[in-house]
Amino acid sequence: MQLYPAIDLKGGRCVRLTQGLFDNVTVYSDTPADMAALWESKGATYLHLVDLDGALAGRSVNEPAIREIIERVSIPVQVGGGVRSVEAAGALLKLGAARVIVGTRAVENPLFIQKLIDAFGPERIVLGVDAKDGMAAVEGWEKVSRISAVNLCMQMKEHGIRHVVYTDISRDGMLSGPNVKSTKKLMEETGLNIIASGGVSCMEDLQNLYRQGIGGAIMGKALYENRIDLAEAVEYFQLPERG
């Protein structure tokens, strides 16, 4: 299972939101690149960046911080937040991002995903599915659409999507455990590589995802509040399968 330490960017700082609420912010670092370097030093092999301001603005806002992180670390980085055009995705990839995550625009215009995959290939584009009560949310989680998470994934699979970051908004930042049942259901019904996001609070939560065969897990608040030791988690969950 691939582990992804999360760095959420707001105003150039590393923060965490609770349940996606922009007025419920905790600042963990004024220098996100230092945080990225710390996670790499503890064994991280992939980072997950989110431009929170960009998600609301519909364009990249924290590009300087993103650039500094990419230049600072040697591991791949996936970036989401505000990617609403082929040009915006291309700019992030040119900056050095390994993958770009697209959410809102995919819900609003499914053919956008097709254009991205045609331009950059299926390994460089990730579908971001943020769900409230099983329905996809958009625009920085501020609005809920009328399409279910499962239907959105199946629709996007037809356009070439292989990787999905699935966030249960009700669990995000709450340290209440991931929604393993919904995550497993999404994986089984779509056959896609599902990366679980939201609610991971301890090693047991990671174990529960691992046992269900989930392809990846994003960790945020649990790392920043020392509830999970990253080096230990990487050693346990990213080693080759044991007999």
Side-chain angles (χ1 to χ4, degrees), residues 217-236:
I218 292 169
M219 300 171 293
K221 197 170 185 178
L223 288 181
Y224 292 96
E225 299 194 354
N226 299 310
R227 293 168 179 256
I228 292 177
D229 180 275
L230 181 59
E232 181 185 353
V234 168
E235 181 180 2
Y236 191 88

Side-chain angles (χ1 to χ4, degrees), residues 1 178 180 183 196 200 205-214 217:
M1 182 169 70
V180 178
T183 306
V200 171
D205 289 337
L206 292 175
Q207 182 70 54
N208 290 336
L209 292 168
Y210 183 75
R211 285 174 178 157
Q212 299 303 324
I214 305 302

Side-chain angles (χ1 to χ4, degrees), residues 18-234:
T18 298
Q19 293 185 309
L21 299 174
F22 279 74
D23 58 355
N24 197 339
V25 180
T26 301
V27 177
Y28 285 105
S29 175
D30 291 326
T31 51
D34 288 346
M35 192 61 68
L38 174 64
W39 297 143
E40 183 179 30
S41 74
K42 290 182 176 291
T45 58
Y46 221 118
L47 293 178
H48 174 80
L49 308 188
V50 179
D51 184 341
L52 294 173
D53 299 308
L56 280 181
R59 57 181 174 79
S60 180
V61 174
N62 287 285
E63 184 177 308
I66 294 169
R67 180 189 295 108
E68 188 175 356
I69 289 170
I70 291 173
E71 291 176 349
R72 183 78 171 273
V73 301
S74 60
I75 57 177
V77 173
Q78 63 183 21
V79 184
V83 180
R84 311 282 167 84
S85 69
V86 174
E87 293 75 20
L92 286 171
L93 293 172
K94 187 175 181 180
L95 207 62
R99 299 195 298 214
V100 172
I101 305 163
V102 181
T104 293
R105 196 81 163 86
V107 177
E108 296 172 344
N109 180 11
L111 290 179
F112 176 55
I113 286 289
Q114 186 68 62
K115 290 179 181 178
L116 288 175
I117 289 177
D118 288 345
F120 308 114
E123 289 303 321
R124 307 205 73 186
I125 304 300
V126 179
L127 176 66
V129 177
D130 306 320
K132 281 185 178 179
D133 299 320
M135 306 304 287
V138 297
E139 295 183 15
W141 300 354
E142 295 291 297
K143 297 180 181 178
V144 178
S145 73
R146 296 183 179 181
I147 186 169
S148 72
V150 171
N151 287 342
L152 176 61
C153 286
M154 291 305 296
Q155 191 178 66
M156 295 301 103
K157 185 177 181 179
E158 292 180 4
H159 292 292
I161 279 293
R162 297 177 184 174
H163 307 283
V164 176
V165 170
Y166 174 66
T167 305
D168 184 323
I169 296 171
S170 68
R171 306 292 181 103
D172 191 68
M174 298 299 289
L175 296 172
S176 58
N179 192 330
V180 178
K181 183 178 179 180
S182 292
T183 306
K184 182 183 180 183
K185 178 183 177 183
L186 194 64
M187 177 187 71
E188 291 179 339
E189 293 192 13
T190 66
L192 295 169
N193 173 39
I194 305 298
I195 303 167
S197 175
V200 171
S201 65
C202 59
M203 288 287 282
E204 185 179 355
D205 289 337
L206 292 175
Q207 182 70 54
N208 290 336
L209 292 168
Y210 183 75
R211 285 174 178 157
Q212 299 303 324
I214 305 302
I218 292 169
M219 300 171 293
K221 197 170 185 178
L223 288 181
Y224 292 96
E225 299 194 354
N226 299 310
R227 293 168 179 256
I228 292 177
D229 180 275
L230 181 59
E232 181 185 353
V234 168

